[in-house]
Amino acid sequence: MDVIARAAFRLALQTFPARFRRAHGDEMCDAFARALGARTVAGRVAYTLHACADAVGQGWRERTRRGVPRGHGAEDTERGGRGPMLVGTMNDIRIAARSLRRAPGFTLAATIVLALGIGANTTVFSALERAVLAPSGYPAADRLVIVDHTWRRRDGGAPENFPWSWPKFRSFQEARPGAIAAAAGYASRSVTVTEPGTPTRESIELVTSGYFPVLGRNPVLGRAFTVSEDEPGITPIAVVSHGFWRSRLGGDPGAVGTSITLNGTRVEVVGVAPAGFSGLSGRAELWIPMAAAASFFSPVLLRGREAHWFRVVGRLSEGATLAEARDQVTALGRAIGEEVPPQDPEDVYGAGLRSFDDVRVNEDARAAVFLLAAAAGLVLLVACANLSGLLLARSRRLARDEAVRRAVGASRWRLVRASLVESFLLAGLGGLAGLGLSAWGVRAMAAAWPSQFTSSGGGELRVMDPSSLALDSRVLAFALLVTALTATLFGVVPALRASQADVAGRLREGSGATRPVRRALGLDGRAALVGAQVALALVLLVGAGLVGGSVLRLLDVDEGFDTRALLTFSYAIPATSASADDPNAFHAAFRDRVASLPGVTGVTSGCPPLEGYCWTTLVRAIEGAPEIPQGEGPQVAVNMVGDRTFATLGIPLLRGRELDERDGTDRVPAVVISRQAAESLFPGQDPLGRRIQLGVGADDKDDLAEIVGVVGDVLYRGPDEEILPQAYYSWRDYPERAVTMMVRTAGDPLASLPAIRAELGTMDRTLAIYGVSTMDQAMARSMGDRSVVLVLLALFAGVTLLLAATGTWGIVAYQIADRRRELGLRMALGAGRSSVLGMVLRQATRTAGLGLVVGLAGAWAGSQLLDTFLFQTRPTDPLAYGVAATLLLGVVLTASWLPARRATRVAPVEALRAD
Amino acid sequence: MTHPSRRQTPDPTSLLPLSPPVYHVLLACGDKALHGYAMMQTFEQLTGGAEQLLPGTLYATLARMVESGLLEEVPPPSADADARRRYYRVTSFGRAVAAAETDRLALLVDVARARRLAAERGR
């Protein structure tokens, strides 16, 4: 007991300054022990605690009162340097801060290098956090599941996840397995809201009654939908978003029970959703019972057994496991699939289950973010290698100081600690600057975040909101961690060096003795740092080169039309509108008005290129060709277009005529096909005048169309996706209420938008324009994930190249400065300048060559990660490797040559006399 | 002609009020030369165990008192004394300071009594 008490007291005495302990420590311990001996057992415990607390308090007072002698810290080094850590460290921090202040150039360079490394990592981490790691925020989200309808062909293939149809979902709900507590259907659509306020196009979700309870997001005002509202034929009602309630309904609690007008139908508002909730689609402003879909959209939605159009979210029952639930759902899905034979006997329908958290992560985003995280990690490693070099070079300057400190008794640990403290202080500065850099980087990334990365599950599930990218507490914690890691990484080499300080050698070194030849010639630690930087930079350069090559090839793909100054937007005439009876008359009048606006050079309508195919179908029959068995014709994409579309879009007309006013008469509808369609459907024949059936009309007679022209191929999907044969019909033959307009302008396409909006308003004030885009924006979207990956990879590669260049330059310059005596001696003994230069460059080449070999291997391994981001480029593309390696070698040689040239310009005698 | 600067005796009241440990050390020492542990013992005895000096406070206080001239270190009284122990004696300045502090406290105690703030025992 007394032994422990005495040890505790001795430990407490450590808070006193060393000098005080030297003078009084033993006597104090003795007095404590005697005082202790005079007490009872209980008294000893109390006395020990009391005395120890008292000693600690007094010790601190003593330190602060007297102040710690500044400068060399030798006072803490007696007794093996086990002085109180904290105070010694404070002292070290003061020393380090002073020494960094004295070398502002070095400090600035180091801070920049670190800021680049830490900033890159913090920025990418914020994306990683939001896109991959962040929780969904729904209550008990681990019990949320996505119930998939699945489809496959009878002859094999894995089942594909598929939307549900209303009849099949009803069957599912009736026999819902025990492991699924509740399930709800949801689908995203858009409607025009005309009242109250000015008309706008709003995203909505059609949902079943279980939707709000399953997600745990019940309305804050009013109510959610009831089970009885899942019955078709109900009077339409709506739950509105909190934002919609605030902006359109004035935030009035009495708004529940009032009505709004959607697509011309009056709808009663029954509830207000909680603030910030915008549905699984991430954009819903209104929710309408799915059973009311027929009133707004097509009656087919609730009738067609194979009208597959919505997804299902569910919640597991208490205690049910995902595996159990999956088995039950799969069994039920098989039963539902066999209830009614599918229209195509080769189709097999079923059901499957995925955990919500798995579906939530967009796979492309995950791949891109992990790739960028790896790249950012490499940047940080290069920054560390670079900084290690800087610190090593600097520590050579400070070597004599250190040796003196060792000689007067500073312990090895003391020097290592001082070196580490300096590293941490630098890292802290770099971390702060890096955070500033990433505050900007995160904003830039939020702006450039590809829309493909924001949703998953067929676009119906919003996985992240790019505007939520921010420097939050988790990102800050990460930055702190990276900073500490960085400090340890780059600080450890100089610290080890400090610990190996050879006192006598160092003191002698500066004063005339020749340095060992081995170190001067061999691949020492600094050469290894150069090699490491070269290797790491090569990995990033090759990656950037591969992705950059892909983007160049993508940009080089011919879109098949003129993408410049083309505005696209949509509007839809509600079924209840007076204009709905003859939508073509309305569209034609509107087109004329838009065409007469100043700055507009052409107007047409149809599905715009680059935004995906409108719809695809199978060729049913070709007149004069062998009969095509049902469902086996080639796939064709179909587009219903306005007059003179090809001229307006700049699609070359290869044969025949445009679609225009000549169409829409009683005769057989006209169709224009693409070059690819002509080649695949009519190989070696003249397609003009031939008649085909593409399953476009309501019946076979209606379906027959005569080919009147052939046009060039156009990219409707991304440049890396397959181009389908295309057929264009005239809007005059197939009227539609909803259209997408394409307007060619003389100047900025968006500048015409207000005038266009005004024209539509004067014609029908209940219509809203939506989906406004320009072809330039569409082009950027079709590049999507690649462009973000490319920009960041290129940025990272550029930074590492710069770091590798400056790092090499710095290290070689110091190496040469170290060897000035040797070089001077060589030259004094008759070596020519060029031979000395050659020797330096040979060594640099050897170092860089080693780095290149390692880097090429690393790049080859890393390039496999890139595969999904490449287009017509193999991960082993020799051009990318060759260019990167040559560039790096050039940079290293230049960085070596410059300081070497300077050294050889010094007169030999001067060099010998130096120091 | 220049005079060597004479060291002035500081005003004893300049250090008042004394911190309790300083006053306690002065009381414990009296006119004897004592080492630290002896002071702890003496003080505890003098106060009947109601007050104690803890080693951390005591030695820190001793060092400060030597610096401010209240105590002086003296050689051990006999050759067989423990070599680790340092002995201290109150200086004449220390005595003057102790007396001034005692007067100050006595005045305060008188006031307290007049105001009936003292405990029963004091009446």
Side-chain angles (χ1 to χ4, degrees):
Chain A
M1 158 70 209
D2 283 5
V3 177
I4 299 170
R6 280 201 297 272
F9 186 72
R10 195 167 269 282
L11 196 67
L13 286 188
Q14 296 292 312
T15 49
F16 280 89
R19 201 167 42 189
F20 189 94
R21 273 180 284 133
R22 238 185 343 255
H24 304 287
D26 288 351
E27 200 183 343
M28 289 168 85
C29 285
D30 178 61
F32 171 76
R34 281 165 181 272
L36 197 66
R39 278 155 219 275
T40 62
V41 174
R44 286 179 201 189
V45 175
Y47 186 74
T48 305
L49 291 175
H50 208 165
C52 285
D54 173 66
V56 169
Q58 290 294 332
W60 279 111
R61 263 185 75 188
E62 197 64 20
R63 267 181 198 280
T64 49
R65 192 175 70 88
R66 285 160 190 251
V68 180
R70 290 160 196 238
H72 51 79
E75 72 282 357
D76 278 339
T77 58
E78 93 297 344
R79 297 189 192 166
R82 291 188 303 272
M85 274 296 291
L86 196 59
V87 171
T89 307
M90 286 305 292
N91 200 28
D92 280 333
I93 291 174
R94 272 198 300 273
I95 296 172
R98 199 167 50 207
S99 111
L100 290 181
R101 255 203 319 276
R102 278 204 210 112
F106 164 81
T107 307
L108 186 70
T111 305
I112 291 174
V113 166
L114 279 168
L116 290 170
I118 294 173
N121 279 275
T122 310
T123 306
V124 171
F125 178 78
S126 75
L128 182 74
E129 194 215 358
R130 287 302 152 127
V132 182
L133 304 177
S136 65
Y138 293 111
D142 57 330
R143 310 202 67 76
L144 282 180
V145 289
I146 294 291
V147 184
D148 289 303
H149 185 224
T150 61
W151 167 88
R152 67 176 174 87
R153 298 295 285 179
R154 190 167 296 281
D155 54 11
E160 286 176 30
N161 295 323
F162 216 61
W164 286 86
S165 72
W166 179 256
K168 289 181 188 175
F169 178 62
R170 296 275 280 200
S171 302
F172 178 86
Q173 286 290 63
E174 278 161 22
R176 195 175 62 231
I180 305 285
Y186 73 98
S188 179
R189 288 286 185 279
S190 58
V191 296
T192 302
V193 181
T194 43
E195 275 175 74
T198 50
T200 54
R201 192 76 182 175
E202 303 289 359
S203 285
I204 65 163
E205 279 177 352
L206 293 163
V207 299
T208 61
S209 59
Y211 188 71
F212 294 101
V214 162
L215 293 179
R217 289 280 187 270
N218 284 312
V220 289
L221 273 178
R223 62 176 180 89
F225 304 134
T226 62
V227 177
S228 64
E229 284 155 355
D230 284 338
E231 292 306 317
I234 60 152
T235 316
I237 49 174
V239 169
V240 299
S241 75
H242 204 266
F244 186 93
W245 174 66
R246 294 276 297 271
S247 62
R248 289 294 279 270
L249 305 175
D252 174 14
V256 172
T258 60
S259 51
I260 54 179
T261 306
L262 309 181
N263 280 10
T265 304
R266 310 271 308 159
V267 174
E268 186 194 336
V269 175
V270 298
V272 178
F277 180 63
S278 51
L280 289 174
S281 66
R283 51 179 184 266
E285 294 291 348
L286 298 156
W287 290 267
I288 293 171
M290 216 172 244
S295 326
F296 297 97
F297 305 99
S298 166
V300 174
L301 293 181
L302 297 185
R303 281 209 305 263
R305 187 166 181 86
E306 294 191 20
H308 299 117
W309 60 284
F310 62 90
R311 307 270 169 181
V312 170
V313 63
R315 193 171 269 283
L316 294 182
S317 308
E318 279 307 318
T321 66
L322 190 66
E324 265 167 42
R326 184 174 290 133
D327 290 345
Q328 295 179 6
V329 165
T330 310
L332 177 59
R334 199 175 304 123
I336 294 173
E338 288 163 1
E339 251 172 21
V340 178
Q343 282 173 23
D344 185 337
E346 288 303 304
D347 289 337
V348 181
Y349 291 106
L353 197 72
R354 286 177 293 166
S355 106
F356 184 72
D357 283 333
D358 287 347
V359 183
R360 266 186 63 243
V361 175
N362 179 308
E363 289 304 321
D364 294 336
R366 191 209 297 262
V369 165
F370 277 126
L371 177 73
L372 291 176
L378 290 184
V379 173
L380 190 67
L381 281 181
V382 173
C384 286
N386 186 298
L387 212 59
S388 284
L390 279 177
L391 280 173
L392 262 185
R394 185 174 140 76
S395 71
R396 283 216 26 84
R397 287 186 179 171
L398 303 178
R400 289 194 63 178
D401 286 4
E402 278 174 6
V404 169
R405 281 166 74 177
R406 281 283 278 143
V408 299
S411 70
R412 212 163 251 198
W413 160 237
R414 185 75 180 66
L415 293 183
V416 170
R417 193 174 70 183
S419 170
L420 278 177
V421 162
E422 188 174 89
S423 303
F424 270 86
L425 199 64
L426 266 182
L429 283 176
L432 276 179
L435 268 182
L437 206 61
S438 64
W440 170 83
V442 164
R443 270 202 303 280
M445 197 162 57
W449 196 250
S451 55
Q452 295 100 306
F453 284 5
T454 59
S455 60
S456 101
E460 291 284 348
L461 190 63
R462 174 83 148 184
V463 294
M464 72 167 279
D465 177 5
S467 66
S468 72
L469 285 172
L471 291 181
D472 59 12
S473 56
R474 283 171 65 152
V475 177
L476 291 179
F478 175 80
L480 200 68
L481 187 76
V482 168
T483 303
L485 188 74
T486 309
T488 316
L489 263 180
F490 76 72
V492 79
V493 177
L496 284 178
R497 193 172 183 285
S499 76
Q500 287 159 0
D502 153 24
V503 178
R506 292 280 195 84
L507 287 173
R508 211 168 44 233
E509 213 166 72
S511 56
T514 315
R515 303 193 51 217
V517 177
R518 182 193 60 78
R519 271 188 77 187
L521 292 177
L523 285 172
D524 61 9
R526 284 169 288 180
L529 285 175
V530 171
Q533 290 184 60
V534 167
L536 292 166
L538 185 68
V539 174
L540 279 179
L541 276 178
V542 167
L546 288 172
V547 177
S550 296
V551 170
L552 283 181
R553 287 191 184 89
L554 281 172
L555 289 172
D556 212 32
V557 170
D558 182 14
E559 293 87 8
F561 70 103
D562 186 359
T563 59
R564 289 166 298 173
L566 196 62
L567 177 75
T568 63
F569 62 89
S570 308
Y571 65 88
I573 304 171
T576 52
S577 164
S579 319
D581 295 338
D582 189 1
N584 272 1
F586 185 91
H587 298 322
F590 179 55
R591 252 170 267 200
D592 288 344
R593 279 166 175 260
V594 173
S596 64
L597 289 173
V600 172
T601 59
V603 185
T604 187
S605 60
C607 287
L610 299 181
E611 304 275 22
Y613 289 111
C614 252
W615 46 292
T616 63
T617 179
L618 303 181
V619 176
R620 285 187 182 172
I622 301 174
E623 207 176 62
E627 198 175 314
I628 300 171
Q630 193 188 344
E632 288 186 11
Q635 197 180 25
V636 181
V638 176
N639 197 353
M640 306 295 178
V641 296
D643 295 344
R644 284 175 301 282
T645 285
F646 307 120
T648 307
L649 292 183
I651 300 170
L653 184 64
L654 306 175
R655 307 269 327 261
R657 67 166 178 91
E658 270 274 15
L659 294 170
D660 52 25
E661 295 85 352
R662 281 168 282 183
D663 300 297
T665 55
D666 289 340
R667 50 174 208 83
V668 177
V671 59
V672 170
I673 59 173
S674 66
R675 182 215 304 262
Q676 199 185 60
E679 284 170 3
S680 61
L681 301 179
F682 304 97
Q685 305 165 36
D686 180 6
L688 289 192
R690 301 285 294 269
R691 294 184 173 194
I692 53 173
Q693 282 181 13
L694 296 184
V696 174
D699 55 47
D700 281 1
K701 191 170 145 288
D702 191 24
D703 197 25
L704 202 65
E706 183 177 317
I707 297 169
V708 299
V710 178
V711 292
D713 291 316
V714 171
L715 279 189
Y716 275 87
R717 294 189 292 201
D720 53 339
E721 289 180 77
E722 183 199 3
I723 296 181
L724 291 179
Q726 177 82 41
Y728 299 91
Y729 289 85
S730 171
W731 63 289
R732 292 174 180 271
D733 289 314
Y734 300 94
E736 286 179 21
R737 283 187 284 116
V739 292
T740 299
M741 291 287 197
M742 292 176 274
V743 180
R744 175 79 68 193
T745 60
D748 175 13
L750 287 172
S752 328
L753 194 60
I756 293 172
R757 230 184 258 277
E759 290 295 339
L760 189 66
T762 44
M763 286 183 66
D764 184 342
R765 56 166 293 280
T766 67
L767 297 189
I769 280 176
Y770 61 95
V772 175
S773 177
T774 67
M775 264 311 143
D776 290 335
Q777 290 167 350
M779 300 251 301
R781 277 199 296 275
S782 75
M783 291 289 169
D785 47 352
R786 282 198 192 80
S787 60
V788 159
V789 170
L790 172 76
V791 168
L792 284 177
L793 265 188
L795 198 68
F796 291 171
V799 165
T800 46
L801 185 64
L802 195 72
L803 289 178
T806 55
T808 307
W809 186 84
I811 290 174
V812 172
Y814 276 113
Q815 265 176 333
I816 286 172
D818 268 3
R819 295 172 53 191
R820 264 160 64 115
R821 289 173 49 79
E822 179 212 330
L823 297 180
L825 198 62
R826 280 171 190 269
M827 286 169 72
L829 293 174
R833 267 187 63 193
S834 56
S835 76
V836 169
L837 261 180
M839 186 187 72
V840 170
L841 289 186
R842 265 197 308 280
Q843 281 171 17
T845 312
R846 203 170 56 197
T847 309
L850 206 61
L852 287 180
V853 170
V854 175
L856 283 175
W860 182 81
S863 65
Q864 310 301 319
L865 283 176
L866 279 173
D867 211 15
T868 53
F869 301 98
L870 299 185
F871 172 65
Q872 291 179 4
T873 309
R874 279 175 303 130
T876 50
D877 184 22
L879 188 68
Y881 288 76
V883 169
T886 313
L887 185 65
L888 262 177
L889 192 63
V891 163
V892 170
L893 288 185
T894 313
S896 310
W897 179 68
L898 288 174
R901 196 185 54 157
R902 211 172 52 186
T904 54
R905 284 215 174 125
V906 179
V909 181
E910 215 177 296
L912 285 173
R913 219 185 269 137
D915 217 11
Chain B
M1 185 178 159
T2 55
H3 294 276
S5 63
R6 249 183 71 196
R7 188 176 165 183
Q8 284 206 316
T9 310
D11 178 7
T13 58
S14 67
L15 291 181
L16 304 191
L18 292 181
S19 71
V22 172
Y23 192 51
H24 296 170
V25 167
L26 292 173
L27 294 182
C29 283
D31 52 5
K32 292 199 280 279
L34 294 179
H35 54 75
Y37 178 60
M39 290 182 211
M40 285 162 63
Q41 272 183 314
T42 312
F43 185 66
E44 216 165 334
Q45 282 160 12
L46 285 174
T47 61
E51 298 264 6
Q52 64 181 20
L53 275 167
L54 291 168
T57 300
L58 173 67
Y59 284 90
T61 306
L62 290 180
R64 260 172 269 156
M65 288 172 78
V66 170
E67 265 178 27
S68 54
L70 297 172
L71 291 183
E72 56 190 350
E73 204 180 327
V74 292
S78 61
D80 60 355
D82 190 334
R84 280 177 308 184
R85 289 191 178 149
R86 296 171 181 228
Y87 286 77
Y88 301 92
R89 191 171 58 199
V90 178
T91 61
S92 54
F93 174 61
R95 268 173 210 288
V97 170
E101 175 72 351
T102 307
D103 285 346
R104 187 182 72 84
L105 291 175
L107 178 67
L108 291 179
V109 171
D110 286 343
V111 172
R113 288 201 169 125
R115 296 265 165 158
R116 298 173 174 273
L117 287 171
E120 284 302 318
R121 187 165 55 95
R123 298 190 70 181

